[in-house]
Amino acid sequence: MGDTTSDLPTCGRTRSEPVKFGRALRDSEFLFDPSYRNLNHGSFGTIPSHIRNLMRQYQDQAEAKPDPFIRYTYPQLLDESRAAVAKLLGVPTETCVFVSNATMGVNTVLRNIVWNKDGKDEILYFETIYGGCAKTVDYVAEYSRGLVHSRCVPILYPCPDGDIVENFEKAVQEVEKEGRRVRLALFDVVSSNPGVRFPFEAITASCKRHGILSLVDGAQGIGMVKLNHLGEVDPDFFVSNCHKWLHVPRGCAVFYVPLRNQGLIRSTVPTSHGFEAAELQGGNLKRVNPLPPNGKGYFVNGFQFVGTVDNAPYLCVKDAIKWREEVLGGEVRIRDELIKMAREGGRLVAEALGTEVLDNKEGTMSACAMTNVALPLPAEDIEASGEEPAVHSYVLGTLMEEYQTFVAVFIFQGRWWARLSAQVYLDLQDFKWVGGVLKDVCDRVVRGEYKKSNVPDTSV
């Protein structure tokens, strides 16, 4: 591919000028339907047309010469992306590989850990854990047949970060008093629902003090919050979706494992050619790896090829980082402006609804590019009537069908909330608009219009 800097779009400015975030950037750089306003970047992310074009070039190269590209060119390009993302995180290149998404990274760790045979191991997680990861914990506990159990750490938001650390320490002490051990803790960088920044650095430090393996789910992380100090934080395992906030095509996540722990990751998920059995079975048949030898370590080599899938998104990581630097002005500018937009936008929406934003006095919960605004809906009455699924479907269906937008809506600790994402293609006018939209939809729910609605059922 070579250097793509000269191909980067200038958006009507000189190369030295920072581009202005907002509607003009959306229209010139992104691929949205003109009628659609994307206020839910946090779920699936999106990419600029420039990165889409580069991804297709990689795909075209794979089709033009499949074997030469997949066997020889692809690994070289992959290493370039690994180096670029490692630099962004402040960690060595040999500690970073790619997987399809954060859930895959969490699964890879939990399915590789060998649990103690005395059945006293426990996995600690917080009540704001992502649903897919919670079910992975459930599965691992079930599959282990009693070797490992799980325990949930409660959170009562809003609260200072110190309260979360204190609750974690209490949970560890409770486990130890019962004669058991916390083997691994799973926690977020930014939780999903609600979308708030989590004190992952402090929880990682607590894990170190107690000899607990730390598994950091940074699904919402890279490209949104400061992570170039990951080497200093030094978690035992870390995974973060590049396709959410780093403008990389779906699906792509960086999976970080420090050298000291790479021996714990015996296999990719699924197992593929990189696996080397400690003891051969089946008549000691030799397992042949059909891919070219590369001299890389066991961990990196294993993740380089995990079956035949389209891994073009992995190759776009280096290009997306370059695009963000050259066009958007770099990671610091992006991060600072998006956090500011989310905070100010959340305030505007809360004013329109007559409610409030979920945050603590210190403002640490809102130190990310998402904001959570309470909705003026009678949560207790709706829950008591058993109509929560109907209301949820009505709200989402109305937003999509009538307003051409989507907002993550959920119940948390007895209240309805809307989670909104700031992004470079939005501005405060979008938040003012969605504040009015949510007010209208909530008023219609209170009037009972959801009971006679024909909007599509979005509960499945």
Side-chain angles (χ1 to χ4, degrees), residues 179-413:
R180 304 179 63 80
R181 72 179 73 85
V182 180
R183 185 76 185 285
L184 180 145
L186 170 59
F187 48 94
D188 299 317
V189 171
V190 175
S191 58
S192 180
N193 288 329
V196 296
R197 195 187 188 284
F198 198 79
F200 75 97
E201 299 98 333
I203 298 298
T204 300
S206 179
C207 287
K208 287 183 178 297
R209 290 193 297 271
H210 292 282
I212 299 168
L213 291 172
S214 53
L215 170 51
V216 182
D217 178 7
Q220 310 275 0
I222 191 168
M224 193 233 280
V225 297
K226 174 180 166 64
L227 284 174
N228 61 357
H229 62 321
L230 187 67
E232 300 172 13
V233 178
D234 193 31
D236 289 300
F237 308 98
F238 170 87
V239 62
S240 190
N241 286 326
C242 300
H243 61 250
K244 285 185 183 285
W245 296 92
L246 200 64
H247 299 114
V248 172
R250 309 176 199 99
C252 173
V254 56
F255 181 36
Y256 161 80
V257 180
L259 294 175
R260 68 178 182 275
N261 290 330
Q262 290 183 2
L264 299 177
I265 306 300
R266 291 284 297 126
S267 173
T268 57
V269 177
T271 300
S272 191
H273 290 298
F275 178 72
E276 296 177 4
E279 182 177 340
L280 289 177
Q281 305 293 322
N284 292 325
L285 295 176
K286 185 177 181 180
R287 315 297 189 200
V288 177
N289 188 338
L291 301 173
N294 53 49
K296 298 170 187 174
Y298 180 81
F299 174 72
V300 172
N301 184 61
F303 285 87
Q304 182 166 286
F305 183 88
V306 187
T308 303
V309 292
D310 182 6
N311 286 332
Y314 298 178
L315 307 184
C316 294
V317 171
K318 63 185 183 306
D319 304 308
I321 293 172
K322 178 183 290 187
W323 181 83
R324 287 163 64 86
E325 178 67 31
E326 295 287 335
V327 176
L328 300 184
E331 298 301 318
V332 174
R333 185 207 176 201
I334 297 168
R335 181 172 67 242
D336 290 349
E337 292 209 20
L338 292 191
I339 292 174
K340 179 181 178 182
M341 184 190 301
R343 284 172 166 162
E344 294 181 0
R347 177 181 55 80
L348 291 173
V349 175
E351 288 178 357
L353 297 175
T355 61
E356 68 273 353
V357 172
L358 180 62
D359 201 2
N360 53 19
K361 292 180 180 179
E362 298 80 7
T364 55
M365 292 173 61
S366 64
C368 64
M370 294 191 289
T371 184
N372 308 271
V373 184
L375 296 175
L377 294 175
E380 291 185 4
D381 294 344
I382 293 173
E383 185 176 5
S385 67
E387 295 177 332
E388 177 186 330
V391 171
H392 190 259
S393 291
Y394 173 78
V395 171
L396 297 185
T398 302
L399 289 172
M400 290 186 291
E401 292 292 313
E402 296 187 21
Y403 294 100
Q404 295 297 298
T405 192
F406 187 97
V407 175
V409 174
F410 57 97
I411 293 180
F412 178 70
Q413 295 182 346

Side-chain angles (χ1 to χ4, degrees), residues 1-13 15 28-29 48-55 57-58 61 318-320 322-327:
M1 286 294 299
D3 187 1
T4 57
T5 303
S6 61
D7 299 325
L8 289 169
T10 59
C11 305
R13 75 199 195 296
R15 184 62 48 77
S28 65
E29 295 292 317
S49 56
H50 176 69
I51 300 301
R52 186 271 314 272
N53 294 341
L54 290 176
M55 179 179 65
Q57 289 180 32
Y58 294 130
Q61 289 184 69
K318 63 185 183 306
D319 304 308
K322 178 183 290 187
W323 181 83
R324 287 163 64 86
E325 178 67 31
E326 295 287 335
V327 176

